[in-house]
Amino acid sequence: MPFTPTDEQDAALEAFTKGDHLAIQAGAGTGKTSTLALLAEQAPGRRGRYLAFNRAIALEAAVRFPSTVLCKTAHSLAYAAVGHRFRGRLNSPRRPGWVVGQDLGLYAPARIHGVDVLPATLSNTVLRTVTRFCQSADQELRDYHVPRLRRIDNDEAHGELADLILPYAMKAWADLQDPNAGMVRFEHDHYLKMWALTDPVLPGDFLLLDEAQDTNPVLEQVVLAQKGTSQIVMVGDSAQAIYGWRGARDVMTGFDAVHLPLSRSFRFGPALAAEANRWLALSKAPIELSGCPDIATTVGPHTHRPDAVLCRTNIGAITEILTLLEDHVATALVGGGEALRALAQAARNLIDGQRTPHPELMLFTTWPTLRDYAEHDPAGGDLQPFVNLIDDYGPDAIIRAVDRLVPESQAQVTVSTAHKAKGREWPRVRIAADFNPPPDSEVHDAAGKPIPGPVDEAEARLAYVAVTRARRHLDARGLEWINAHPDNPGAPVSR
């Protein structure tokens, strides 16, 4: 539908028409995709590319953008160019790091700077080194890709560790080059790195990079390499940079371009914009939102059932699911529960002393072995929340809960983590209780009470993402601790 651009959107269009490279700081609900579509539509005779954060966003954009713009993810481009040759190795069974290490030749412990390091730790360090290399913009493995380990993290000790680890990391990377078979589990980020190393050229007159605040250096390298031949437009929200834990970083802030804001939200009204601005201030974001005065969004405790409950953790999500199901509320989980149910069934097999046919867990023989893998092996870190759920509730309770989940279209309430809720919105949102305040500091006030520790910027960004998913009402009781926190940038929001 045609719309009247705001002054900020007009400014972006004017700069784009001049051919300037752009970095557009787009707050939550400020019409980011509409703005990009406007730029593309006003560029007759010019062809462009739109790089989306995930496949769902790319498919949605393909409907909204003119046919002159090709909408893809970076991984889809990399797969078409390189990754398809490795499809036989993708999604292979998980292998504990120590097994891979043995295949690479790491059998014995090593003494690093006076500290004995076990083979399993060395093996895991090798795999983490390869991962860090794949996330980087570097052409070859270097000593700084080797992570620092506790007790041997000074420069001299790390240099000694890197001398030992790098040859094995190079052997692992060489193993990954074989499209037919190998010792190291092949991941999607491996072919993305291989593609980036070919210095790919992305044909087109302009390149639109979405979600630029969550870009890995490897993709940043590819995008910036197009600067001499394509006009680059980066768009994102620095306050929604919530994937730093997996190597992503905000590439807009240092981009040599015309920097412009989109600050008027069309998703919610002034009351929620004021709540969002508290978290924007805590995250040191370069933007402040204004809400749409025609939308009467309310903020405060609410007795009515929300449309969505947003949680900090997976454990918080399953806790909410169990509570809702006990109250006979039709409940959905963003992303669905099929994978969780299959893993819970596999966990039940392992707890019962049976092998499981689950492709990711088939190499584990006991539940304690899997627990140790999730806790200590970096390759299994994504399984840690699942292991915690099983240990807390048991596999049967999880399976029963997942079996009772319904599709989102049939749900009375949808449960999601804040990470998975990014890019989504609902009329009424409740923030779950697992958004805990920071721990107390060692400093005490005049009354002898400990002063709360500072609010971590990453946690402030996650809270900002959560509160800005609501359109009509936000119940932020899970974050109400901020009202009494010394970092609170102002008085509590008027309800």
Side-chain angles (χ1 to χ4, degrees), residues 366-490:
T366 66
W367 181 249
T369 301
L370 174 58
R371 184 191 291 121
D372 183 74
Y373 169 71
E375 183 175 354
H376 300 293
D377 194 320
D382 59 321
L383 288 176
Q384 186 65 62
F386 163 72
V387 170
N388 291 338
L389 289 175
I390 296 298
D391 284 343
D392 288 343
Y393 296 101
D396 291 338
I398 305 301
I399 292 171
R400 287 194 298 269
V402 170
D403 284 342
R404 293 175 61 191
L405 292 174
V406 299
E408 288 190 54
S409 60
Q410 301 174 20
Q412 295 170 287
V413 177
T414 296
V415 176
S416 177
T417 63
H419 282 93
K420 289 187 178 179
K422 186 177 175 183
R424 302 286 302 274
E425 57 184 70
W426 293 270
R428 298 181 300 274
V429 170
R430 176 168 63 82
I431 307 300
D434 63 338
F435 282 84
N436 297 318
D440 291 337
S441 69
E442 296 181 0
V443 180
H444 292 71
D445 62 17
K449 295 181 179 180
I451 296 176
V455 176
D456 181 75
E457 287 184 28
E459 294 300 317
R461 290 194 293 269
L462 194 62
Y464 164 72
V465 169
V467 301
T468 54
R469 300 309 95 193
R471 295 198 304 267
R472 297 292 180 265
H473 180 78
L474 173 69
D475 182 345
R477 278 176 288 180
L479 289 165
E480 64 183 359
W481 52 263
I482 190 60
N483 294 329
H485 194 280
D487 283 354
N488 183 15

Side-chain angles (χ1 to χ4, degrees), residues 16 33-50 58-72 206 208:
F16 179 74
T33 305
S34 298
T35 302
L36 291 180
L38 173 67
L39 303 187
E41 289 165 357
Q42 298 301 313
R46 301 180 70 200
R47 305 193 69 83
R49 287 176 178 259
Y50 168 83
L59 292 174
E60 179 183 351
V63 176
R64 301 183 64 175
F65 280 74
S67 60
T68 52
V69 178
L70 180 65
C71 302
K72 295 286 185 179
F206 57 88
L208 310 175

Side-chain angles (χ1 to χ4, degrees), residues 108-146:
R111 192 164 184 81
I112 306 294
H113 212 64
V115 177
D116 289 326
V117 184
L118 297 176
T121 302
L122 296 173
S123 302
N124 296 336
T125 305
V126 167
L127 297 178
R128 289 170 63 194
T129 298
V130 173
T131 296
R132 286 159 62 100
F133 166 64
C134 288
Q135 294 170 344
S136 77
D138 299 312
Q139 298 293 307
E140 57 185 23
L141 281 152
R142 305 295 296 273
D143 55 357
Y144 49 77
H145 296 133
V146 179

Side-chain angles (χ1 to χ4, degrees), residues 56 249 341 447:
R249 72 187 196 92
R341 176 170 57 194

